[in-house]
Amino acid sequence: MPSLAATILGLDGPIARALGPDYEPREQQLRMADAVAAAMQAKANLLVEAGTGVGKSFAYLVPAIDRVLSRGETVVVATNTIALQEQLVERDIPLLKGTLGPPPDPMSSEPVPSHPWSGDLLACLVKGRGNYVSIRRLRLASSRQDRLFADAAARRSLHLIEDWAYATEDGTLSTLPQIERMGVWDKVQSDSPNCMGRKCPHYDECFYQSARRVMERSNLLVCNHALFFSDLALRVKGVGFLPKYDHVILDEAHCLEDVAAEHFGLSLSEGRVNHLLSTLFQPRTQKGYLAQLLNLHGDYEAVQRAVHLVREADAASKRYFEALLHLHESATVRNGRVREPRAVTNPLTPAMNDLAMSLRSIREDTKNEPDRFELAAYIERAVSIADVAEAWVEQTAEHCVYWIDVKRPGEEGAEGYQGLRVSVAASPIDVAPLLDKYLFSRECGVILTSATLATRTVHDDEPTEHAETAFAHTITRLGCEGAHSLQLGSPFEYARQVEVYVDRSMPPPSGASGQRARATPTDGESYEQALATRIFRHVRETDGGAFVLFTSFATLHKVAGLLRPRLAQDGYELLAQGKDGSRSEILRQFRDSERAVLFGAASFWQGVDVRGRSLRNVIITRLPFEPPDRPLTEARLERIKERGGDPFREDSIPRAVIRFKQGFGRLIRSATDTGRVVILDPRVLTTGYGRAFLQALPEGIRTQVLD
């Protein structure tokens, strides 16, 4: 008897009838669906690497929907990108729901699912609270706008939010038109400590409360990784906001370790502190929350004292972050990592605690209910800043790495900012014990899937244990020992659709494991000049349509400077990350052109989907090893070395291979895409570990060596 997946996704199934004659069942999709169904049945942990084009979403949604409708269970699906969440909620789930409908009549000739279905499929997209507008706070801000907002642009932004809020159906940022001052949103968004609950006069029409009621009734929930791990981190403390679920499916799972490390760690930026203080009071303009409170609160002196403490906290913040910047640039701290507690003095924590105490005093004497909730929110933020600043300076969390991060204009994460951005952060060196305890050891099925989870391609004639070793790095880093694994190739014909070139003549970058390349003289050429020469040649051979992937912004910007005039002379538009607009902006321009050339680093190696002729050339400038002196990477490598392991082979190579596979995967996104991948790092041919990268390519691909 055919499986449920084969019945639904097969050639004669309801999906084929709905999608028409062009629909082709994929063996890989059916195998994945059966594996997911078996894992859910056993409430087991499963890792599935499924190549591009397999149709992963249908492969896990069909068994998920079966569990919901046949067993009354609840399933959470978490993805890393907004695009995939929207695809699931707006296209895939509605198609499956509309196509499958009620189970077929057993008396008819139509195939019957192996489990009779009953009940309703209730799916929803779960968003964080800060995505929703609060009608009560919006009206409060509107009534006090002259004292809250310093300039006309902020007031125009408020009016635009008002026009939108009274017409929108979902009340979330995703439908809000672009506004001039995004900081205005902070004054009107839904906020947990600022929520009046059922006391709120707008409770029945509240967008967030309506969404929460929908979530609590739903049995198939879609969210992003950040929200899922925020909930998981809260569950460690005995709270959480997602309802109880029986299974979780984590798509784009190659991102999980970094997201988990961020949410189980801590961070504090100078911008976060400045935003709170300027919201409370802006000395230059005499605007802000406390400015309007001066006219409303009975105790004028108490409010004036709070204004004074805002100034004191601002001065303390400047001293705190200036000390951090000085430490970062000193010889004491080589890479931003701070190994000992109390490396700087901490005036920020006492200043923020004093401010919080002053705000509490005002709140106790405030009769106006909305202001009591506004003050509660500001108190909580001030206390949180104080606590994080102290925890970082004192290094109170064990088994963590602590560092100072300084971003300069043009770098990823500093787009749109003119000056330096200083922040501090700490992360667990190893998230595996946390995920093992709070995720993989729970009584629920956990499915992890991505196009890149394994470190090599396992051929069909190889023993089963080879497949297990291919996933060993991911299993170890995530703490899912004993998980089942399945590797499925892509249905695309890579041997026909892709040409791979390796340039043996390119001088190797300095360092074998990811250090920043220095100039390597070769016949008078620097390393960057050699890159520019070869990039230009390959761009001309495909007449543009090229992604050029870098591992360093410094190299990217230097090569962009060398090539911009030459490319412009030949009519190619160069879009350089950090120079020519935001990430989304340059990606949109690239999609709209057939001859553009995009220089990208970091985030452009993954999560970018460009189909068709716009992208026909992916140029990988160097193997994507993480810089070994990055604080978190350095700490991970030290831990492996301490237990007698080989950090380079156990960690550096597997991570680089997975990132390399992500970069390679940018090229072929559909069965009709064709093009070339050019590797400008000869180490794939000249080193022993280079074979690991070529072995990770899809089956059937041959490489052409350029001498």
Side-chain angles (χ1 to χ4, degrees), residues 426-613:
S427 286
I429 298 171
D430 186 1
V431 297
L434 293 166
L435 295 183
D436 174 37
K437 181 176 181 180
Y438 295 108
L439 179 61
F440 295 113
S441 295
R442 293 176 57 202
E443 288 296 318
C444 69
V446 182
I447 315 298
L448 278 63
T449 184
S450 169
T452 53
L453 288 177
T455 53
R456 62 183 291 266
T457 298
V458 180
H459 303 288
D460 292 338
D461 58 352
E462 292 187 68
T464 305
E465 57 268 22
H466 285 202
E468 294 173 354
T469 60
F471 287 89
H473 177 262
T474 298
I475 290 172
T476 301
R477 294 308 309 168
L478 296 182
C480 48
E481 297 293 338
H484 302 288
S485 59
L486 175 66
Q487 187 181 54
L488 301 168
S490 170
F492 296 154
E493 300 177 36
Y494 281 102
R496 176 184 60 82
Q497 293 176 255
V498 184
E499 297 176 304
V500 176
Y501 297 91
V502 180
D503 193 331
R504 190 198 293 267
S505 70
M506 181 69 198
S510 66
S513 56
Q515 291 93 331
R516 180 174 295 174
R518 62 176 180 265
T520 306
T522 305
D523 298 330
E525 273 191 323
S526 72
Y527 173 76
E528 288 82 4
Q529 288 170 331
L531 269 182
T533 300
R534 288 155 178 81
I535 290 168
F536 185 70
R537 186 181 81 204
H538 286 286
V539 165
R540 292 190 67 178
E541 288 185 4
T542 58
D543 195 30
F547 260 21
V548 187
L549 301 178
F550 292 83
T551 61
S552 156
F553 273 101
T555 306
L556 184 157
H557 293 154
K558 189 164 186 178
V559 175
L562 292 170
L563 278 182
R564 194 178 293 274
R566 296 174 67 185
L567 291 170
Q569 187 175 351
D570 280 23
Y572 300 112
E573 181 183 13
L574 174 59
L575 302 166
Q577 186 179 6
K579 293 289 186 183
D580 298 309
S582 67
R583 180 179 183 274
S584 57
E585 195 174 311
I586 62 176
L587 187 57
R588 178 188 56 77
Q589 292 179 57
F590 182 84
R591 284 195 178 107
D592 292 341
S593 172
E594 286 200 359
R595 301 185 73 239
V597 180
L598 190 150
F599 282 16
S603 60
F604 276 97
W605 285 77
Q606 60 184 355
V608 179
D609 195 350
V610 180
R611 302 189 181 204
R613 182 167 167 74

Side-chain angles (χ1 to χ4, degrees), residues 136-456:
R136 180 186 65 79
R137 295 194 72 210
L138 176 61
R139 291 190 173 181
L140 186 66
S142 180
S143 68
R144 301 174 175 181
Q145 58 185 281
D146 291 338
R147 299 290 289 173
L148 279 178
F149 302 113
D151 58 17
R155 290 189 288 274
R156 285 195 301 270
S157 298
L158 176 69
H159 299 154
L160 187 61
I161 293 173
E162 287 183 290
D163 293 341
W164 160 80
Y166 300 124
T168 180
E169 293 183 0
D170 74 340
T172 71
L173 276 170
S174 61
T175 60
L176 176 67
Q178 187 171 353
I179 58 177
E180 295 173 80
R181 296 285 188 269
M182 200 58 214
V184 175
W185 179 258
D186 181 68
K187 316 293 191 300
V188 302
Q189 70 181 12
S190 182
D191 190 21
S192 178
N194 212 325
C195 178
M196 297 177 68
R198 295 185 180 277
K199 293 181 180 179
C200 178
H202 303 285
Y203 179 80
D204 291 335
E205 58 184 316
C206 175
F207 291 110
Y208 172 73
Q209 295 295 346
S210 297
R212 186 164 184 83
R213 288 191 288 271
V214 170
M215 180 189 74
E216 289 169 350
R217 294 194 305 269
S218 298
N219 42 32
L220 181 57
L221 292 79
V222 178
C223 65
N224 63 21
H225 286 172
L227 187 144
F228 178 80
F229 280 103
S230 292
D231 177 77
L232 200 64
L234 286 173
R235 287 173 187 264
V236 174
K237 303 173 184 177
V239 293
F241 47 85
L242 288 175
K244 183 180 182 300
Y245 48 84
D246 301 284
H247 309 280
V248 58
I249 299 165
L250 297 165
D251 202 343
E252 300 175 312
H254 58 278
C255 303
L256 289 186
E257 185 182 6
D258 288 340
V259 179
E262 179 181 346
H263 282 83
F264 283 110
L266 55 85
S267 63
L268 179 65
S269 69
E270 187 175 14
R272 174 180 161 189
V273 180
N274 290 344
H275 181 69
L276 171 62
L277 297 177
S278 63
T279 297
L280 288 169
F281 188 76
Q282 300 173 38
R284 184 179 60 83
T285 60
Q286 301 290 298
K287 303 283 186 181
Y289 176 76
L290 292 175
Q292 57 84 30
L293 202 61
L294 284 168
N295 301 322
L296 300 173
H297 198 270
D299 192 342
Y300 183 86
E301 290 186 3
V303 179
Q304 281 284 27
R305 171 165 170 74
V307 168
H308 171 72
L309 290 173
V310 167
R311 296 175 186 267
E312 292 287 312
D314 182 61
S317 175
K318 286 183 170 61
R319 294 198 304 274
Y320 181 75
F321 285 100
E322 283 173 1
L324 290 168
L325 180 61
H326 179 73
L327 179 63
H328 182 272
E329 295 178 348
S330 71
T332 308
V333 175
R334 179 175 52 84
N335 57 350
R337 184 177 176 186
V338 179
R339 295 174 179 267
E340 299 294 335
R342 296 179 288 282
V344 295
T345 56
N346 177 19
L348 184 58
T349 292
M352 296 304 292
N353 281 331
D354 288 346
L355 176 59
M357 188 177 299
S358 177
L359 295 175
R360 281 194 192 96
S361 176
I362 295 171
R363 184 176 185 272
E364 288 172 3
D365 294 334
T366 298
K367 302 295 188 289
N368 184 23
E369 195 78 356
D371 280 312
R372 288 180 62 82
F373 281 93
E374 288 288 325
L375 285 162
Y378 294 131
I379 292 165
E380 183 174 291
R381 292 190 198 181
V383 170
S384 174
I385 288 171
D387 289 347
V388 172
E390 182 172 23
W392 190 89
V393 169
E394 298 294 330
Q395 298 194 0
T396 54
E398 295 181 349
H399 311 301
C400 284
V401 56
Y402 295 79
W403 72 93
I404 305 165
D405 187 39
V406 178
K407 284 189 168 56
R408 291 167 171 80
E411 293 184 355
E412 188 163 19
E415 294 169 340
Y417 291 84
Q418 299 303 314
L420 296 176
R421 299 188 67 200
V422 182
S423 60
V424 294
S427 286
I429 298 171
D430 186 1
V431 297
L434 293 166
L435 295 183
D436 174 37
K437 181 176 181 180
Y438 295 108
L439 179 61
F440 295 113
S441 295
R442 293 176 57 202
E443 288 296 318
C444 69
V446 182
I447 315 298
L448 278 63
T449 184
S450 169
T452 53
L453 288 177
T455 53
R456 62 183 291 266

Side-chain angles (χ1 to χ4, degrees), residues 7-28:
T7 301
I8 293 173
L9 298 171
L11 187 58
D12 299 320
I15 301 300
R17 291 195 296 273
L19 296 180
D22 292 335
Y23 178 79
E24 292 183 8
R26 283 155 281 187
E27 178 197 351
Q28 298 94 332

